[in-house]
Amino acid sequence: CRGGSLLIITSAEGSTALSEENRRLKKRLYFVAAGYFRFFANFAFKRWKPRVIAITGSVGKTTMLHMVEFELGDQAHYSHDANSAFGIAFDLVGLRGITGSKLRWIYLIFAVPFRSLYYRHRERYYIVEIDGERPHETEFLASWLKPEVTLWISLGRSHAVQFENQVKEGMFENLDKAITHEFAMLPEYTQKIIMIDGDVPLMVKATNKIREKGKTAAEVRACSKKDLQGYVVQPDSTDFTIGGKQTTNFHFASPQPRDLAIQLVMLRELIDYLKHPLKTDFAKMPLPPGRSSYFEGKNGLKLIDSSYNAHLISVASILDLASSLKVRPKWLVIGDIVDQGSIEGEEHTKLADLIAKTKPDRVILVGRRTRAYTLPRLKTLGYVVRPDGNLPVVRSYDDVKQALADIEQNATGAETIIFKGSQYLEWMIEKLLQNPEDAKKLPRREAAAIKRREKRGLN
């Protein structure tokens, strides 16, 4: 409805144009609304004046946040469940975002200005997770928070669909450059130390301009996984040996991927910079749900839950973990990779290659994307053959209930099962737990997620 008259669009081209206009309008309104909350939350932020340590990257941010929290404890405030322009503004005035009814927006519109008049966190540090989910949001936050230290821990095609229009409009040559530019906004506004994965060329190139500024800019520290000297992973534990200037042994009471090494290198650098004693035994660290948690399953099953999300970079990391596990039989349950837009076929085909290299005993695919792209590729891969000459059994389901039935009918209890991806895999894990109380440690326990599962008949 424009100017009081009704506009009816019947052509596909007209519908696409309207959709594009709606997308642009939503984008403008997003930052207008976010700017409103930032304006008021900034009063609380200036009153607080913390030392800001920002964590960003395509994957692994929440795990890194938890590790820093384990090190610093109550000396810092942590932006748990708040990594967007809205969430961080709410967090600074001690409020949570939209967790239930959308009517909560009305409350927040009035509550944020009121609380900004008096609210203040008291901790010395603000450890803030910043997501690069949509174009321009990182700069929106970076130019406001101006972190003292930035930890840029990973780079991949997460939320690629959000950046497709930047490529279509000629702003960037490809998706990789568009996503890199988004994350690089945080280093641009960092005051003292920028830590990157020096083994990722795009990260190095993105921060070269900062290096060239010399003393007028933050110091860029290129960390490397080459400092990893030892990696031993079991279904219920992991030990890392990190070399470099000194040798440090880290222990976890959970199966952590080899790629965590880059975060451990950065963590050691950060704690040294802050002049705090370094803790290395993470056995008692609470793990963020759905990030390589270990659970005892029914009838002796060993369950590894990495079902929080899936992008190719994180799936590759978990499949490398699976390859490193010296256990048999080894099963994989892999859900679709979402938010990939036009590259979903390409990404799911690559996924098949990664699965094949893992040499699992059984593969259960869940979702239409893995069925359309991953399954056909797996069937054509000759090097999926194990040393004994047998092919692993591969099954594909659109319905997560069918996938669960497959496990219940075919598992003997001796299996180690690794879960990664979308499609409500956390529901499958819940049904396989030996101890039902462990369900509270699974991802997506909030009311909205429970309602979504119930709508799918997953009770």
Side-chain angles (χ1 to χ4, degrees):
C1 183
R2 294 180 177 178
S5 61
L6 182 65
L7 176 64
I8 300 176
I9 298 176
T10 58
S11 71
E13 182 179 352
S15 179
T16 301
L18 183 59
S19 176
E20 178 65 14
E21 183 175 335
N22 287 338
R23 184 191 68 81
R24 292 178 183 276
L25 178 61
K26 281 185 177 181
K27 179 180 174 181
R28 287 195 294 270
L29 290 177
Y30 180 91
F31 287 106
V32 168
Y36 168 84
F37 290 115
R38 181 178 71 174
F39 174 80
F40 291 104
N42 194 44
F43 292 115
F45 181 55
K46 287 185 175 180
R47 188 182 303 117
W48 180 18
K49 296 179 181 177
R51 296 176 67 180
V52 179
I53 299 166
I55 301 169
T56 196
S58 300
V59 296
K61 298 181 292 295
T62 304
T63 299
M64 188 69 182
L65 185 80
H66 276 68
M67 290 197 299
V68 176
E69 182 174 13
F70 188 74
E71 296 286 351
L72 299 181
D74 58 9
Q75 296 184 65
H77 174 71
Y78 308 88
S79 67
H80 288 299
D81 303 317
N83 59 14
S84 67
F86 287 96
I88 291 170
F90 301 148
D91 184 54
L92 286 169
V93 294
L95 292 170
R96 293 181 62 84
I98 309 301
T99 56
S101 170
K102 291 182 179 179
L103 291 175
R104 183 170 169 79
W105 280 114
I106 298 174
Y107 167 76
L108 291 169
I109 287 171
F110 294 99
V112 171
F114 177 71
R115 289 178 67 89
S116 72
L117 297 176
Y118 67 89
Y119 191 86
R120 177 187 173 186
H121 288 290
R122 299 289 177 178
E123 297 84 356
R124 185 179 182 185
Y125 304 103
Y126 186 31
I127 315 300
V128 58
E129 178 184 332
I130 294 181
D131 196 1
E133 181 177 339
R134 57 175 55 80
H136 310 299
E137 188 164 23
T138 303
E139 184 173 16
F140 178 92
L141 289 167
S143 61
W144 173 25
L145 300 177
K146 294 183 174 64
E148 177 180 343
V149 179
T150 285
L151 310 177
W152 185 4
I153 62 176
S154 61
L155 180 62
R157 292 179 172 181
S158 59
H159 306 293
V161 68
Q162 299 283 351
F163 296 88
E164 286 191 332
N165 279 289
Q166 288 191 328
V167 178
K168 291 177 183 178
E169 293 167 4
M171 296 175 62
F172 297 97
E173 183 180 343
N174 53 50
L175 280 170
D176 293 319
K177 291 185 177 180
I179 293 170
T180 301
H181 177 267
E182 180 65 24
F183 284 118
M185 287 296 98
L186 196 53
E188 287 286 340
Y189 288 92
T190 300
Q191 305 300 301
K192 295 291 185 180
I193 304 288
I194 302 159
M195 297 186 203
I196 65 168
D197 185 341
D199 301 324
V200 179
L202 284 171
M203 279 196 196
V204 175
K205 187 175 181 181
T207 53
N208 276 340
K209 290 182 179 179
I210 298 173
R211 288 188 184 88
E212 291 168 2
K213 293 178 182 178
K215 294 182 179 180
T216 62
E219 175 191 353
V220 179
R221 298 186 183 180
C223 302
S224 175
K225 288 188 285 288
K226 294 176 183 176
D227 285 341
L228 178 64
Q229 295 181 347
Y231 174 66
V232 179
V233 62
Q234 302 291 337
D236 58 356
S237 68
T238 315
D239 290 283
F240 293 86
T241 302
I242 305 295
K245 296 178 182 178
Q246 62 189 56
T247 299
T248 310
N249 297 310
F250 293 93
H251 174 72
F252 293 81
S254 58
Q256 292 299 318
R258 187 190 311 267
D259 286 340
L260 191 69
I262 191 65
Q263 297 181 46
L264 293 173
V265 173
M266 292 184 183
L267 181 70
R268 188 174 65 178
E269 290 269 330
L270 173 67
I271 299 305
D272 179 66
Y273 168 74
L274 297 177
K275 301 187 185 306
H276 285 267
L278 179 68
K279 300 176 185 177
T280 59
D281 187 351
F282 288 82
K284 294 183 179 180
M285 181 186 78
L287 287 173
R291 280 87 159 183
S292 300
S293 300
Y294 170 73
F295 299 106
E296 295 287 349
K298 295 177 180 178
N299 303 317
L301 288 174
K302 296 179 176 63
L303 311 176
I304 297 176
D305 171 27
S306 191
S307 64
Y308 175 72
N309 62 13
H311 309 299
L312 195 62
I313 182 176
S314 64
V315 178
S317 182
I318 294 303
L319 291 178
D320 176 75
L321 181 158
S323 295
S324 301
L325 284 170
K326 308 301 182 185
V327 296
R328 290 292 178 189
K330 187 188 308 181
W331 289 17
L332 300 177
V333 179
I334 306 295
D336 283 356
I337 303 173
V338 299
D339 290 339
Q340 298 299 287
S342 63
I343 65 169
E344 71 176 24
E346 175 188 347
E347 298 294 274
H348 283 86
T349 301
K350 291 178 182 177
L351 172 60
D353 294 294
L354 294 171
I355 290 172
K357 291 178 182 178
T358 305
K359 295 182 173 60
D361 297 286
R362 190 178 189 88
V363 181
I364 298 174
L365 304 175
V366 186
R368 63 173 180 81
R369 300 169 185 85
T370 50
R371 173 173 47 79
Y373 307 112
T374 308
L375 180 62
R377 176 63 175 164
L378 278 173
K379 289 181 177 179
T380 66
L381 290 173
Y383 58 81
V384 80
V385 176
R386 299 200 312 269
D388 61 9
N390 294 322
L391 289 172
V393 177
V394 179
R395 293 287 184 265
S396 177
Y397 303 102
D398 285 348
D399 189 338
V400 70
K401 292 181 180 179
Q402 294 174 319
L404 174 63
D406 186 308
I407 294 175
E408 291 177 331
Q409 293 168 14
N410 295 293
T412 66
E415 295 82 5
T416 298
I417 309 178
I418 300 99
F419 296 80
K420 183 64 178 175
S422 63
Q423 309 303 307
Y424 304 99
L425 300 191
E426 74 278 4
W427 177 82
M428 291 180 63
I429 299 169
E430 181 176 356
K431 299 304 178 182
L432 294 169
L433 290 173
Q434 175 66 31
N435 181 9
E437 286 296 312
D438 284 339
K440 62 186 179 183
K441 301 175 184 177
L442 296 173
R444 289 175 283 275
R445 299 292 98 186
E446 65 275 13
I450 293 172
K451 287 181 180 179
R452 286 194 296 270
R453 286 194 292 270
E454 288 177 347
K455 287 181 179 179
R456 293 283 297 268
L458 304 176
N459 300 317

